[in-house]
Amino acid sequence: MEQEQHKDLYNDLAELFKLMGDPTRIKILFCLSKKEMCVLDISELIGMTHSAVSHQLANLKTARMVKATKKGKEVYYSLDDDHVEKLFDLAIEHIKEGR
């Protein structure tokens, strides 16, 4: 019975890890963990087209991992909250300890 109660939680957690399982999205999250950036800046840093970066940002925004703020004509992205940064930092720490 308890597993059935947590089924949605398990599925949501699996989706979160699946989303973070893509190297392109990890690169984007890493960039945004340093500072707020626009699509152009992210594209140049990771060497991808604007449309490819925009597509990945849309996925991350849907999952509430990033948020968008419009400043004039430009849209800037940042990590949605400190939970995302903590999750990212803990994963990096875990990997570094294993090396």
Side-chain angles (χ1 to χ4, degrees), residues 27-67:
K27 289 177 191 177
I28 292 170
L29 290 171
F30 185 75
C31 289
L32 296 177
S33 72
K34 303 302 177 194
K35 66 177 187 172
E36 182 180 67
M37 303 178 88
C38 65
V39 173
L40 175 64
D41 293 339
I42 297 168
S43 298
E44 289 176 4
L45 274 175
I46 67 174
M48 292 186 69
T49 65
H50 299 149
S51 62
V53 169
S54 291
H55 175 75
Q56 296 302 339
L57 284 165
N59 290 332
L60 291 167
K61 189 175 174 190
T62 299
R64 294 184 15 243
M65 296 191 77
V66 301
K67 61 183 175 186

Side-chain angles (χ1 to χ4, degrees), residues 54-99:
S54 291
H55 175 75
Q56 296 302 339
L57 284 165
N59 290 332
L60 291 167
K61 189 175 174 190
T62 299
R64 294 184 15 243
M65 296 191 77
V66 301
K67 61 183 175 186
T69 306
K70 191 163 184 158
K71 295 181 181 178
K73 294 181 183 179
E74 200 69 53
V75 177
Y76 286 84
Y77 292 87
S78 59
L79 296 181
D80 189 71
D81 60 29
D82 64 330
H83 295 113
V84 177
E85 189 167 358
K86 287 177 186 175
L87 181 60
F88 198 66
D89 289 345
L90 284 171
I92 291 171
E93 183 180 329
H94 177 73
I95 290 168
K96 285 181 177 178
E97 284 181 4
R99 291 187 174 171

